[in-house]
Amino acid sequence: MISIEFEYKIVSKVATLVVKKQINSLFLTVLTVLIMLIIVNVTANAASVNHYISAHHYSPSTITKQIWKGFPHYKYRHGKGKPEGVVIHETGNPNSTIFDEIAYMKKNYRNAFVHSFVDDDHIINIANTDYLCWGVGYPGNARFIQFEQIEMHSKKSFAHEVENAAYYTAYLLDEYNLKPNDAVYDGKGTVWSHGSVAKYMGGSDHTDPVGYYKKAGKKYFHKAYTMSQFYQLVLTNYKNIE
Ligand SMILES: [Zn+2]
């Protein structure tokens, strides 16, 4: 016969174990929920500009061809109509319009020119993309189609511009049978920032459009916009084109 005291001890021990187990599982549940909340939050923030674009069903502007005959025609290193990727620029001018920039480029093409310009409401192609342009120096000029983005000054116009830029990049990749491949992190691929061309190939010391994306993202979406987010938007557009 066991004593009542002993019996009580066993019961209380079992009760303690059960409570401990419940606390443990409660703790695990709370921890899991917290981790999930953090992940959801991080993902939502990181994708905020792209999210805003898809949530508002923004569709890209029509590509307008206004080819100017004054630009020189030089072949890419693999020949006419054989670009190897697309370079995304940003003008670095906070006070210009797309029409100011195009006029300026026609006047100063001997120093530099790009194929196209993008803002929130236009995608304007001014130089034949079958021939190279002069936007990133040697050796990138002989490899890539290049376009400039104008600086925007509102949340809506920045989102529209980024969508236009991503769509135009996807359109060019598709047009020249190039597979999307983010070149920004490893220096290999088809989608480049001017900054990544400068970093991996030289030719200039420019870093655009990273600074502009960062600043506009922080100003209008409380979080820097990045080239890797831009690349995701290119992929979305590429899938829609295919
Ligand atoms: Zn540039």
Side-chain angles (χ1 to χ4, degrees):
M1 189 183 149
I2 49 170
S3 71
I4 291 172
E5 199 188 345
F6 185 64
E7 211 167 291
Y8 169 75
K9 267 184 182 168
I10 288 172
V11 169
S12 84
K13 217 169 188 179
V14 167
T16 313
L17 275 176
V18 167
V19 169
K20 263 190 179 168
K21 228 177 177 177
Q22 278 174 343
I23 288 174
N24 269 342
S25 76
L26 182 71
F27 176 72
L28 272 178
T29 312
V30 169
L31 195 68
T32 313
V33 168
L34 271 177
I35 288 170
M36 276 166 71
L37 275 176
I38 289 167
I39 290 169
V40 167
N41 200 23
V42 165
T43 318
N45 275 337
S48 60
V49 179
N50 295 353
H51 221 258
Y52 181 88
I53 291 165
S54 70
H56 287 79
H57 306 288
Y58 280 1
S59 53
S61 303
T62 309
I63 299 166
T64 313
K65 284 195 192 264
Q66 293 176 3
I67 305 294
W68 184 60
K69 291 201 167 69
F71 294 121
H73 284 172
Y74 292 106
K75 290 174 189 169
Y76 294 103
R77 66 169 178 165
H78 293 323
K80 182 193 166 190
K82 299 261 190 257
E84 295 164 59
V86 182
V87 178
I88 291 92
H89 292 263
E90 178 272 323
T91 63
N93 185 344
N95 302 310
S96 64
T97 67
I98 194 165
F99 304 108
D100 295 337
E101 291 290 342
I102 290 172
Y104 180 86
M105 193 151 280
K106 285 177 184 172
K107 256 185 242 160
N108 296 283
Y109 76 89
R110 286 174 193 85
N111 297 324
F113 72 98
V114 293
H115 293 105
S116 305
F117 284 85
V118 169
D119 69 5
D120 59 334
D121 203 25
H122 305 88
I123 303 170
I124 304 178
N125 174 213
I126 57 166
N128 188 340
T129 48
D130 282 346
Y131 298 99
L132 62 77
C133 70
W134 298 336
V136 292
Y138 174 85
N141 284 344
R143 301 182 189 190
F144 307 124
I145 297 172
Q146 306 179 40
F147 71 85
E148 288 277 358
Q149 294 162 104
I150 311 303
E151 288 201 6
M152 296 290 104
H153 304 286
S154 74
K155 182 174 188 169
K156 207 175 153 184
S157 61
F158 178 65
H160 267 294
E161 173 177 61
V162 166
E163 168 55 17
N164 278 345
Y167 164 72
Y168 187 50
T169 304
Y171 163 86
L172 291 168
L173 294 175
D174 182 64
E175 191 79 353
Y176 287 96
N177 294 313
L178 297 164
K179 284 259 168 305
N181 184 349
D182 187 357
V184 172
Y185 68 94
D186 64 355
K188 293 182 187 96
T190 52
V191 179
W192 297 75
S193 62
H194 187 175
S196 60
V197 174
K199 182 181 168 189
Y200 295 108
M201 291 181 186
S204 77
D205 58 0
H206 292 203
T207 56
D208 56 291
V210 173
Y212 170 58
Y213 277 4
K214 191 173 172 182
K215 202 171 141 195
K218 276 189 176 167
K219 192 169 177 186
Y220 304 123
F221 293 86
H222 309 294
K223 178 112 190 176
Y225 193 56
T226 65
M227 275 304 292
S228 70
Q229 289 167 45
F230 175 77
Y231 180 71
Q232 291 306 315
L233 195 60
V234 171
L235 285 184
T236 305
N237 278 275
Y238 188 83
K239 278 173 202 149
N240 290 339
I241 288 171
E242 269 194 317

